[in-house]
Amino acid sequence: MRTELSWTAVRGPVGEVTAVAGEAGLVQVCFGGPEQVLPRYAEAVLVESGEPALRAGAQLEEYFAGRRREFDLPVDWSNVEGLRLQVLRTLHEQVPFGRTLSYRELARLAGRPEAARAVGTIMGSNPVPIVVPCHRVVASGGGLGGFGPGLEAKRRLLVLEGALDATLLELDMLA
């Protein structure tokens, strides 16, 4: 029997975002339209706007509109294991809206203080960004660090959460 997954796409300050969910929870959040994410699920039955994805899409829209500070969505962790699972769950459960921390601090919080470099790699492989807020993890020296969809998207998310001054976005537009 093939797995059934539903998907929906929403627009926000970082462009189009596609959410894919199944019975066990959110499987992926992708920066971009469905054409970028759906080919990865060729083995599944894909349903546009099915209930699990619609719920995720509605919460993402609320977040982008500044009306949601916390996601109430189950995450399907079945394809994540080991240190990656430990770090992503720690981030998901312990780093609140509007707070940032360094890769090193997240490694310590996850109980693996020696794994700061690995945490950076793990952030780059987060299957459900925004909901599991890898954009809140920044470099120790005060820089933004990396972000798969680009630093502009990371800036916009941090400004949305009040963790970064909005004038930084305005200055970028003037440059």
Side-chain angles (χ1 to χ4, degrees), residues 87 103 115-125 137:
V87 168
Y103 299 99
R117 285 184 186 261
V119 166
T121 302
I122 291 166
M123 294 302 97
S125 68
V137 184

Side-chain angles (χ1 to χ4, degrees), residues 7-74:
W7 66 273
T8 192
V10 299
R11 293 212 55 82
V14 293
E16 192 170 25
V17 174
T18 301
V20 180
E23 190 176 301
L26 195 58
V27 175
Q28 185 169 22
V29 173
C30 177
F31 287 79
E35 67 282 353
Q36 293 181 351
V37 68
L38 297 183
R40 298 177 195 165
Y41 298 101
E43 300 297 315
V45 175
L46 294 166
V47 179
E48 182 178 2
S49 301
E51 203 290 324
L54 283 178
R55 185 167 172 232
Q59 289 193 24
L60 285 164
E61 286 176 334
E62 291 168 1
Y63 169 80
F64 291 145
R67 296 189 314 268
R68 176 171 290 277
R69 296 172 63 100
E70 205 172 285
F71 291 95
D72 179 25
L73 298 166

Side-chain angles (χ1 to χ4, degrees), residues 4-171:
E4 183 174 300
L5 297 172
S6 63
W7 66 273
T8 192
V10 299
R11 293 212 55 82
V14 293
E16 192 170 25
V17 174
T18 301
V20 180
E23 190 176 301
L26 195 58
V27 175
Q28 185 169 22
V29 173
C30 177
F31 287 79
E35 67 282 353
Q36 293 181 351
V37 68
L38 297 183
R40 298 177 195 165
Y41 298 101
E43 300 297 315
V45 175
L46 294 166
V47 179
E48 182 178 2
S49 301
E51 203 290 324
L54 283 178
R55 185 167 172 232
Q59 289 193 24
L60 285 164
E61 286 176 334
E62 291 168 1
Y63 169 80
F64 291 145
R67 296 189 314 268
R68 176 171 290 277
R69 296 172 63 100
E70 205 172 285
F71 291 95
D72 179 25
L73 298 166
V75 174
D76 181 347
W77 297 108
S78 63
N79 291 319
V80 183
E81 57 188 22
L83 177 62
R84 186 171 173 232
L85 176 62
Q86 185 178 356
V87 168
L88 290 174
R89 285 190 81 119
T90 298
L91 176 62
H92 185 243
E93 296 166 2
Q94 297 185 37
V95 182
F97 181 93
R99 178 169 174 238
T100 61
L101 76 169
S102 70
Y103 299 99
R104 180 175 291 121
E105 290 169 321
L106 180 55
R108 277 193 211 119
L109 195 59
R112 297 289 300 273
E114 76 287 355
R117 285 184 186 261
V119 166
T121 302
I122 291 166
M123 294 302 97
S125 68
N126 178 4
V128 286
I130 303 174
V131 175
V132 175
C134 54
H135 61 279
R136 296 178 189 157
V137 184
V138 297
S140 296
L144 287 178
F147 195 55
L151 292 182
E152 183 61 24
K154 187 170 190 169
R155 272 192 209 96
R156 289 183 181 280
L157 293 171
L158 291 173
V159 165
L160 176 78
E161 294 189 9
L164 197 61
D165 188 345
T167 58
L168 292 174
L169 288 178
E170 295 165 13
L171 291 173

